[in-house]
Amino acid sequence: MSSFWLFTLLALSTVNAAKQEPITVAKIACHIALNQSAQITYIYRCVTCPLSVEYKEQELELNQCIGSQLPVITRSIEIHELEPMRQTDSMNIFHIPKGHSGEFLVRRIINMLNPRQPRKHMHKYLFLWPEASLDQVQQLFEDFWFTKHMLYGLVIINPKNIYDFQPFKNTIRLKLIYKSVYFIDKLRNLHGSQLRFSMFSDPLMAIPLEPVTQAGFTALDGTAAKVLAQLLNATAIYLIPQDNETYGRCLPNGNFTGVVKDLIEGRTDFAPNSRFVLDCIWPHVEVLYPHTRRIIYLVVPAAGLKPEYLIFIRTFRPAVWLLFFVNFLLVFLIFWLLQHLLGRIPRPVNPWKWYEIMAMFAKTHLGEPVTGFAQISSLRAFLMAWILFSYVLTSIYFAKLESAFVHPTYEAPLDKLDDLSRYKSNLKVYAVVTMFEAVQSTLSAKHYQLITQRSRQLPLGLTSSYYQLAVSRWKPGRAAFIMRDFHARDFLTHTYNSQEDRPSYHIVKEYLRSMLCTYILPKGSPFLYKFQSIFTGFHEHGFFEHWRQMDVIHRTGTSSQAEEYYEGLGESDTDRDPSASAVADIRTKKKVVLTLEILQGAFYLWSVGILLSVVGFIIEHGYYWWKQYTKQDVNQ
């Protein structure tokens, strides 16, 4: 019985001892690691530091607590000059000597943090710094955010003092954690902090308002930027590139211009202008998903109307005219051969001269009667067949001629880059410098040379609006442009010719390149995945399409016909959909009417006939007066 009470007493004393066991800094760190479900925990320790007995006991307790429940990897701070890459389901724990003795190690740790850590805004850090002052914690968080742009870090001073920080204020604000809610989403609310948008003027995607810095931009990109700032409760500041080179490009010395330069140098936080990312820029920026694939086109002057004074000749193709000529010669030879063979028969046949035969066939083809024709049945049957053929041919000809009057025909459009070599020599190809850089990697040397030998490279500061200036300066027959697909669609609409009911420009069906078009941020931006989730939501819920349609509704077109033409164009493969082209052709043919411009060919013919009549009239009168004058000389 005594042994039973002894065992019970020992058990109760053990339970009471366990209940009275103090909660240490190591146990708090262990609890946080378990709470975050860290798959791997990296514990960094200082090997060369003069460590106290208390520090070693805490380190041992930390390793035992975490190591018994989670995978642990112990690393030395001295070995790693830069934090190795790791997954987001891991956690870094830095054990710092207490008080002022740990300040030198804190600076070493801040320098060691990797600013290019993948998805770094999701990485979590624990700093075990016993007896640290609030000023020391404040300085640690300021370096943690302003230097490395890390978002999630906790400092454990003692079990009752665990500090977090709020970065989006004028100064770092410490936050004491009272409940076991760690690593809250700090990007949910920016508390009115400045969010610097790097933007530039684009007539289709972003139209600037005054003053630009506060008012921002309208159209698709401007609307998306404003909604983003409202969702995050941020103050939006809109900055235009200092060098006014908009998109930005790579320089030979490794530097950048425009938006890319502002992002890399930290002048701006985000570039919500939809744009291409050149191959040389990819390693230096972050990009948002989803990407939109944009196609680069060559836009050339549309094929002009065929000359109306040649409408009677161009009613049939050259091959058909050649066939008719060969047929006429064949008919002439067969008739001449028949007549030659009939000359051996003793019949009263007056053979025709070769020129009389050709004149007879020409007259019958034009509908004039034949006089004095021989009464030979075979020859008469041959002539009747010729007359019937001429009647059918003439009917077809005038039917097509009438159709050509009603439906005007155009020259063959330029649909392939190879046709540039046979195109007008004064054609100049305009584009900003980055467009030529973009298409060079995908074009053959021959095609790129065909473009560059006519090129007129323009600075990036002119953006899309310069197209209007170039068109007003140059006639459509002398200017071509390299554009993105939606810019090309808008350009065709703005240059729509209401009189001809067709655009003044044409998109070459052989596109130059297909590239990803996206929004960009500086490398290692803490906003990357927050912005990505918001913009992906915009895309999936159809907001982008809605805003784009609203821009189309409020845009200013050249005419109502131009608006219909804009709506009929394809979205991404402009001018490359055969079915859409067929529908557009049908709609155009239904609207065609007879005008003096279309019928000018008949007037050209009438003018030529009058001119010939006048010339004949002058010759007749001149011949008559010359005869009268010669008679008077003979009589004298």
Side-chain angles (χ1 to χ4, degrees):
M1 198 66 184
S2 59
S3 61
F4 170 77
W5 287 110
L6 180 62
F7 177 78
T8 304
L9 182 62
L10 289 174
L12 290 173
S13 62
T14 304
V15 172
N16 291 330
K19 288 183 179 180
Q20 295 176 1
E21 183 178 352
I23 300 176
T24 62
V25 172
K27 284 185 169 55
I28 291 293
C30 180
H31 170 72
I32 294 175
L34 293 173
N35 180 271
Q36 297 299 313
S37 300
Q39 298 300 311
I40 298 178
T41 303
Y42 299 93
I43 300 178
Y44 285 85
R45 59 187 299 271
C46 181
V47 177
T48 60
C49 298
L51 304 176
S52 63
V53 176
E54 183 181 1
Y55 180 92
K56 294 180 179 179
E57 290 177 352
Q58 287 183 353
E59 185 179 59
L60 179 61
E61 183 182 7
L62 180 67
N63 281 276
Q64 288 178 345
C65 180
I66 297 179
S68 63
Q69 302 175 77
L70 295 173
V72 175
I73 296 178
T74 303
R75 288 175 173 173
S76 172
I77 297 177
E78 291 85 348
I79 294 177
H80 297 283
E81 295 183 359
L82 190 65
E83 176 191 10
M85 298 293 183
R86 62 189 179 94
Q87 300 296 323
T88 57
D89 56 358
S90 61
M91 178 175 289
N92 276 4
I93 300 178
F94 294 93
H95 193 192
I96 305 171
K98 66 179 181 179
H100 294 283
S101 60
E103 285 187 354
F104 79 96
L105 193 60
V106 170
R107 290 192 293 270
R108 176 69 182 271
I109 292 172
I110 293 298
N111 293 331
M112 188 184 71
L113 298 182
N114 192 347
R116 296 184 179 273
Q117 191 77 256
R119 301 172 65 94
K120 73 173 187 178
H121 83 289
M122 299 182 68
H123 289 268
K124 300 175 178 63
Y125 297 85
L126 280 180
F127 300 94
L128 277 63
W129 196 358
E131 300 182 13
S133 66
L134 293 182
D135 291 338
Q136 291 174 326
V137 176
Q138 179 81 21
Q139 185 62 45
L140 186 154
F141 282 142
E142 287 181 358
D143 295 339
F144 188 73
W145 168 246
F146 292 120
T147 305
K148 299 297 183 177
H149 294 290
M150 303 293 187
L151 275 174
Y152 298 111
L154 299 178
V155 173
I156 305 176
I157 298 177
N158 54 58
K160 294 183 179 180
N161 292 284
I162 304 173
Y163 286 95
D164 197 351
F165 71 99
Q166 177 53 254
F168 301 109
K169 289 289 183 181
N170 295 330
T171 58
I172 292 294
R173 183 168 63 88
L174 297 181
K175 181 180 179 181
L176 184 62
I177 298 177
Y178 295 100
K179 299 179 181 180
S180 58
V181 179
Y182 310 104
F183 303 112
I184 61 173
D185 184 5
K186 297 179 181 179
L187 294 177
R188 185 184 300 274
N189 187 346
L190 302 189
H191 300 284
S193 299
Q194 287 188 356
L195 194 57
R196 299 166 299 171
F197 291 147
S198 185
M199 300 194 72
F200 52 86
S201 174
D202 191 316
L204 293 178
M205 307 295 290
I207 303 173
L209 301 173
E210 294 295 339
V212 176
T213 306
Q214 286 78 29
F217 295 73
T218 60
L220 179 60
D221 288 341
T223 303
K226 286 183 178 180
V227 174
L228 174 67
Q230 293 173 0
L231 289 176
L232 299 180
N233 189 23
T235 301
I237 302 297
Y238 302 89
L239 301 177
I240 298 175
Q242 291 179 337
D243 54 14
N244 200 30
E245 285 227 354
T246 60
Y247 283 93
R249 59 193 176 99
C250 307
L251 299 178
N253 59 0
N255 294 328
F256 302 91
T257 65
V259 169
V260 181
K261 179 181 178 182
D262 290 344
L263 288 174
I264 293 177
E265 293 182 353
R267 183 169 175 258
T268 55
D269 301 313
F270 180 37
N273 266 97
S274 182
R275 52 150 297 150
F276 289 135
V277 181
L278 298 176
D279 296 337
C280 60
I281 298 176
W282 281 104
H284 304 278
V285 296
E286 303 279 8
V287 297
L288 293 190
Y289 293 89
H291 293 298
T292 302
R293 185 167 292 278
R294 293 295 182 192
I295 300 175
I296 305 179
Y297 289 112
L298 177 64
V299 182
V300 298
L305 279 169
K306 291 183 178 180
E308 294 297 336
Y309 58 86
L310 297 176
I311 192 170
F312 294 95
I313 298 176
R314 294 190 174 183
T315 300
F316 289 136
R317 295 180 181 178
V320 178
W321 285 117
L322 179 61
L323 178 62
F324 291 156
F325 178 71
V326 172
N327 180 71
F328 184 83
L329 293 180
L330 184 62
V331 169
F332 165 76
L333 290 175
I334 294 175
F335 187 87
W336 178 83
L337 180 61
L338 290 176
Q339 182 180 253
H340 178 72
L341 294 176
L342 287 172
R344 300 180 181 181
I345 302 175
R347 290 184 181 182
V349 178
N350 296 322
W352 291 47
K353 304 296 184 182
W354 66 271
Y355 53 85
E356 293 176 337
I357 297 174
M358 297 191 72
M360 176 196 62
F361 281 119
K363 287 180 179 181
T364 54
H365 186 69
L366 297 176
E368 289 193 15
V370 179
T371 58
F373 191 74
Q375 298 180 359
I376 305 298
S377 299
S378 58
L379 296 181
R380 292 181 66 85
F382 187 89
L383 182 61
M384 290 176 63
W386 170 253
I387 293 174
L388 181 61
F389 169 77
S390 300
Y391 173 77
V392 174
L393 176 63
T394 305
S395 300
I396 296 174
Y397 175 79
F398 281 103
K400 292 204 66 177
L401 184 63
E402 181 182 1
S403 175
F405 277 129
V406 176
H407 304 298
T409 54
Y410 298 90
E411 301 285 354
L414 192 157
D415 280 335
K416 293 187 177 181
L417 295 178
D418 292 327
D419 296 338
L420 277 173
S421 58
R422 301 189 300 272
Y423 207 67
K424 301 174 183 177
S425 59
N426 61 349
L427 180 70
K428 307 301 180 186
V429 180
Y430 292 87
V432 292
V433 292
T434 51
M435 285 296 186
F436 290 101
E437 296 175 8
V439 302
Q440 183 178 8
S441 60
T442 56
L443 294 179
S444 64
K446 174 187 174 183
H447 288 162
Y448 187 68
Q449 183 181 7
L450 286 175
I451 292 178
T452 53
Q453 68 186 2
R454 306 161 180 265
S455 66
R456 292 294 182 270
Q457 297 190 10
L458 300 172
L460 286 170
L462 292 175
T463 67
S464 305
S465 60
Y466 80 86
Y467 295 131
Q468 303 300 326
L469 300 176
V471 172
S472 61
R473 184 178 174 186
W474 300 99
K475 294 182 179 179
R478 301 177 61 186
F481 305 95
I482 299 177
M483 300 183 185
R484 289 188 282 179
D485 49 2
F486 61 88
H487 274 120
R489 294 169 58 238
D490 185 78
F491 181 69
L492 262 61
T493 307
H494 275 286
T495 58
Y496 191 87
N497 191 330
S498 300
Q499 295 180 350
E500 294 186 4
D501 198 18
R502 66 195 295 265
S504 301
Y505 282 81
H506 166 74
I507 297 177
V508 178
K509 293 182 179 178
E510 185 176 349
Y511 63 88
L512 306 185
R513 187 178 182 182
S514 178
M515 293 183 70
L516 295 179
C517 194
T518 184
Y519 303 116
I520 62 174
L521 302 93
K523 195 71 175 180
S525 171
F527 303 109
L528 173 63
Y529 293 95
K530 189 68 174 182
F531 290 177
Q532 177 179 313
S533 62
I534 293 176
F535 275 78
T536 301
F538 290 165
H539 180 81
E540 292 177 349
H541 289 84
F543 291 147
F544 279 128
E545 181 63 22
H546 170 71
W547 293 330
R548 187 193 67 82
Q549 291 179 356
M550 294 301 294
D551 294 339
V552 171
I553 292 174
H554 292 96
R555 67 193 301 277
T556 56
T558 55
S559 65
S560 59
Q561 291 89 346
E563 294 297 336
E564 293 178 6
Y565 175 77
Y566 182 87
E567 294 174 1
L569 284 173
E571 177 62 31
S572 60
D573 52 348
T574 308
D575 203 37
R576 299 179 68 232
D577 187 359
S579 61
S581 301
V583 173
D585 292 341
I586 294 173
R587 183 174 66 248
T588 301
K589 291 180 180 180
K590 289 180 180 179
K591 296 181 179 180
V592 170
V593 294
L594 289 174
T595 62
L596 292 177
E597 186 177 2
I598 295 176
L599 296 176
Q600 61 180 323
F603 289 95
Y604 280 127
L605 182 64
W606 189 18
S607 301
V608 172
I610 292 175
L611 180 62
L612 293 177
S613 300
V614 171
V615 171
F617 180 81
I618 294 174
I619 292 174
E620 288 178 350
H621 282 70
Y623 180 78
Y624 173 78
W625 291 111
W626 180 74
K627 278 292 188 179
Q628 294 294 329
Y629 181 77
T630 53
K631 284 183 179 181
Q632 291 179 3
D633 290 343
V634 172
N635 293 334
Q636 292 179 0

